Structures are given as structure tokens and as C-alpha cells.
Amino acid sequence: MSSTAADVVRLLTVRGETLAVAESLTGGMAAAALTAVPGASKAFRGSVTAYATELKQELLGVDGELLAAHGAVDPQVAAQMAAGVRTALGADWGIATTGVAGPDPQDGKPVGTVFVAVDGPGKGCTDGGKVEALRLNGDRAEIRMESVRSVLALLLTELASEQTGNERAQDTERNGEF
């Protein structure tokens, strides 16, 4: 996972863009993975760990009616968390995790149900933000770790798909292939 976090930080830095993180079930683990990368301060704005459902509404702007109707473990909640943290912290990109790590089900969702989301330039939840539904196995620690890995991989995919030719040349040059 550290190589994925390093790749995310590198791409964001090359692009001159920033990232904010909204976490629920991962409790700050995604932010910790990113800030463990040397030079992360060039791209990482900050994070909000909104573990309590009402904080998702109060701090991240998640629709209260959506939370009341579907609970916190929902793809639209994940999308709104990513968009909300991006806005709240003034970042180019926002990522979010929400789900059930266990030991008990939550909001009628079984353990291992997780949603990760990315919101970025031109990717707003109303115009194409990415949400990925996961059904994870394992214990609480494994589910949380895989959620972090998945949200970082989703962001990396989005960043890589938007690279310009100049950014690709810089990446190739750094790898000694240019």
C-alpha cells in the first residue's frame, strides 16, 4: 500500500494538485498512509474522520435525508463525503471511505460492505464522481486495511487516466526510461 500512497503523492505533486480525505470505518488510516510518504505536505491538505453518522452531515455536508433513509453505509453517502471534504478543505481531489468493518452489521448492511469514493476536477458526484462498492472478507483489521488500499488504488486510477503527455514524460524520466 505504501507504494500506492507514494504514487498518489508523486502524481499529485507533479500535477500541482491537492488531496483531502474523509474517513469513517478506516478511522484515519488513509490519511496516515498518505502522510507517511516523504513530501506528502506538497499535496495533502488534511482529513476529516467522521466516524459518527451525524458528523458526516455536519462536517461533510452529506444530505440528512439520505442518511436517515439509507444510513451511513451507502454509495451516495461515500460520494457526498468525498465531494464534501474536497470543498471543506479546499482540495482539488477528495476521497472517502464508509462501510462496516465489524464485528456487527450496521444499518442493515453485513460486515465487509464498504464504499470508497473519489471526487475531483470534473468528477463531482453529480457529474461523474467515482464510487466503488466492495464486499470484503476477513477480520476488522483486514477489512479496514483493504478499504484504504482500495480507495488509494481508485484515486491512482483516476489520476493516471487524466495524465497529460507532459506528466507521463516526467514520470518516465524519473524512472530512467526517457
Side-chain angles (χ1 to χ4, degrees):
M1 178 175 46
S2 61
S3 66
T4 304
D7 288 344
V8 164
V9 169
R10 180 182 47 78
L11 274 177
L12 286 168
T13 301
V14 165
R15 295 163 62 118
E17 294 179 336
T18 57
L19 173 65
V21 178
E23 298 185 70
S24 186
L25 83 149
T26 51
M29 292 171 62
L34 290 160
T35 57
V37 176
S41 61
K42 294 174 185 164
F44 185 74
R45 294 275 303 154
S47 65
V48 174
T49 301
Y51 211 65
T53 299
E54 68 271 11
L55 293 179
K56 291 170 182 63
Q57 180 180 1
E58 294 168 12
L59 299 176
L60 300 171
V62 176
D63 184 284
E65 291 179 15
L66 173 64
L67 289 167
H70 298 281
V73 183
D74 181 83
Q76 289 180 308
V77 170
Q80 289 184 19
M81 287 173 65
V85 78
R86 178 180 171 216
T87 299
L89 300 185
D92 297 301
W93 293 86
I95 60 174
T97 63
T98 187
V100 186
D104 300 313
Q106 178 185 338
D107 299 329
K109 310 285 190 327
V111 172
T113 303
V114 175
F115 298 97
V116 296
V118 172
D119 186 78
K123 299 277 183 208
C125 61
T126 58
D127 61 353
K130 283 279 199 179
V131 178
E132 189 172 283
L134 307 173
R135 182 67 183 103
L136 304 175
N137 296 311
D139 63 21
R140 180 175 173 80
E142 291 167 328
I143 290 168
R144 294 174 76 218
M145 189 61 81
E146 182 58 24
S147 298
V148 171
R149 190 205 64 73
S150 295
V151 77
L152 293 177
L154 182 60
L155 175 58
L156 187 60
T157 299
E158 289 300 300
L159 288 169
S161 72
E162 292 197 355
Q163 274 188 298
T164 66
N166 186 44
E167 289 159 343
R168 284 191 199 104
Q170 288 178 20
D171 288 346
T172 304
E173 187 176 348
R174 281 196 183 98
N175 290 327
E177 298 173 10
F178 191 66

